[in-house]
Amino acid sequence: MSEPREIQEAKALIEKFKDLKKEISKIIIGQDEVVEQLLISIMSQGHSLLVGVPGLAKTLLINTLAKSLGLQFNRIQFTPDLMPSDIIGAEILDENRKFKFIPGPIFANVILADEINRTPPKTQAALLEAMQEKAVTAAGHRYKLPLPFFVLATQNPIEQEGTYPLPEAQLDRFMFNIVLDYPSRKEEIEIVKRTTSDVSPEVNVVFTEDNIWKASSIIRQLPVTDVIYEYAIDLVRRTRPSDSKAPEITRKFLNWGAGPRASQYLVMAAKAYAFIHGKFTPDVDDVQKMALPVLRHRIVRNYQAEAEGLSTDDIIKKLY
């Protein structure tokens, strides 16, 4: 007996997803978990913040991702003198002495907000409406952004001088905080071999815009048991020091925890993670796999946690 058409379509998308990862690996060596998390955020219609030291190919990764998806890509270099109009666009007086709106670089499908914490809060706030509403307002007029729309931002964890911390409201709009680590020795050898030769692999479009919408639709329709809903929500609630059922580690080491948006993103991410691994309903393991990128930028440690060398990841792992 043949499988239902919906199951066949879902399995075909999963195979296409595997092809997409292979295509990205033509350019990006290693970083498999990072690539997977980025793609999960795309399938979930979410934005991602990438954190890593310079030279880990964050910009190249995002550019390669946009090419393999066939999406329009724009890079915005955030600097201390960047103004909101440099991102959104502005009205100018044309030759007929009429105001005309000139769209800024934010009018694209994939936006790389490079070193987002190097610009003042006023300019950072220009992204808030775009990330939440998929639209921007200029001179009293509202302009819709092209869909799909994703902000993939980078920031450097080392250089603190000349940086401006991202407001909590903006951090909360990022579905994932993805940490890039150094490559392994074997991977670094391969990176150097590729980048010091004249070989330049071409990236093909293997996962189209229609595939993104279809995958997003399927992921939203995946059933979730009440047990998993409760586990995900209780995990988020355990990060809140003010909650009556908060564990001792939360009360001792956290100033505040994650809000309801974290619960939404955690369930959606677990569904997407399950789907790309060939499952049609998430389990506890899927929720735990997605807990770090969803929660690490939504909880704030206190001085005691910093003094004892406890990272946000260390604390989250103790809450599973």
Side-chain angles (χ1 to χ4, degrees):
M1 187 175 178
S2 62
E3 293 177 327
R5 182 174 58 84
E6 292 81 2
I7 298 295
Q8 292 177 4
E9 287 180 352
K11 287 185 174 180
L13 276 174
I14 293 170
E15 289 304 312
K16 275 185 168 289
F17 183 85
K18 293 176 182 176
D19 293 339
L20 175 59
K21 289 181 70 175
K22 287 178 184 175
E23 199 67 24
I24 292 172
S25 69
K26 286 182 180 179
I27 306 293
I28 305 298
I29 309 298
Q31 304 289 6
D32 292 339
E33 191 174 86
V34 170
V35 170
E36 185 170 271
Q37 289 176 3
L38 262 178
L39 293 174
I40 286 173
S41 73
I42 295 285
M43 304 305 161
S44 304
Q45 302 293 312
H47 311 288
S48 289
L49 179 65
L50 285 80
V51 181
V53 298
L56 293 183
K58 297 185 290 292
T59 302
L60 179 62
L61 169 57
I62 295 171
N63 196 356
T64 303
L65 175 67
K67 284 181 180 177
S68 61
L69 294 171
L71 298 176
Q72 184 185 357
F73 168 80
N74 273 342
R75 176 179 179 272
I76 305 173
Q77 180 64 54
F78 280 69
T79 57
D81 59 349
L82 193 73
M83 297 296 290
S85 59
D86 296 327
I87 299 172
I88 295 171
E91 284 195 336
I92 65 167
L93 212 57
D94 65 13
E95 62 274 10
N96 298 318
R97 300 189 63 80
K98 292 183 178 180
F99 282 105
K100 177 183 178 182
F101 178 69
I102 304 298
I106 201 168
F107 285 81
N109 300 117
V110 177
I111 302 298
L112 168 56
D114 216 359
E115 295 186 297
I116 190 173
N117 56 337
R118 288 212 173 277
T119 198
K122 176 182 178 181
T123 306
Q124 291 176 9
L127 285 176
L128 288 175
E129 182 185 10
M131 293 173 70
Q132 185 65 27
E133 308 294 336
K134 311 291 174 70
V136 295
T137 303
H141 297 285
R142 187 176 171 84
Y143 302 93
K144 290 185 178 181
L145 295 169
L147 297 177
F149 175 77
F150 308 105
V151 173
L152 306 177
T154 70
Q155 67 176 27
N156 189 317
I158 292 177
E159 297 172 11
Q160 295 300 320
E161 189 174 343
T163 61
Y164 304 83
L166 295 181
E168 285 74 21
Q170 181 157 349
L171 277 174
D172 199 42
R173 280 169 168 76
F174 286 104
M175 180 178 187
F176 283 165
N177 180 333
I178 301 173
V179 175
L180 284 83
D181 204 352
Y182 291 109
S184 67
R185 181 176 181 274
K186 182 180 178 182
E187 290 167 350
E188 193 161 353
I189 290 172
E190 183 61 27
I191 289 168
V192 174
K193 282 182 178 179
R194 288 198 192 182
T195 55
T196 56
S197 70
D198 60 356
V199 177
S200 182
E202 285 292 321
V203 177
N204 301 308
V205 177
V206 295
F207 204 92
T208 65
E209 184 179 325
D210 287 342
N211 294 145
I212 294 173
W213 291 119
K214 185 64 178 175
S216 298
S217 175
I218 290 174
I219 289 166
R220 284 196 166 272
Q221 293 174 47
L222 292 183
V224 180
T225 64
D226 285 345
V227 171
I228 299 304
Y229 276 126
E230 291 169 8
Y231 178 79
I233 291 164
D234 287 343
L235 176 56
V236 172
R237 293 181 69 86
R238 285 198 290 275
T239 67
R240 302 170 187 168
S242 59
D243 192 278
S244 60
K245 295 183 180 179
E248 178 63 24
I249 189 172
T250 297
R251 296 177 186 276
K252 186 177 180 181
F253 294 117
L254 295 183
N255 280 336
W256 68 76
R261 189 180 273 132
S263 301
Q264 297 168 355
Y265 280 147
L266 187 54
V267 170
M268 181 62 71
K271 291 169 74 171
Y273 183 87
F275 174 70
I276 66 172
H277 287 91
K279 297 187 290 185
F280 294 103
T281 185
D283 56 26
V284 168
D285 186 57
D286 299 321
V287 175
Q288 292 179 353
K289 289 284 188 184
M290 294 291 98
L292 290 179
V294 169
L295 295 176
R296 62 166 56 108
H297 57 304
R298 292 185 164 89
I299 65 175
V300 178
R301 297 173 300 158
N302 59 23
Y303 290 113
Q304 190 169 349
E306 293 179 16
E308 296 192 20
L310 276 178
S311 68
T312 53
D313 285 14
D314 293 332
I315 295 170
I316 293 166
K317 288 174 183 176
K318 293 179 184 296
L319 299 177
Y320 289 169

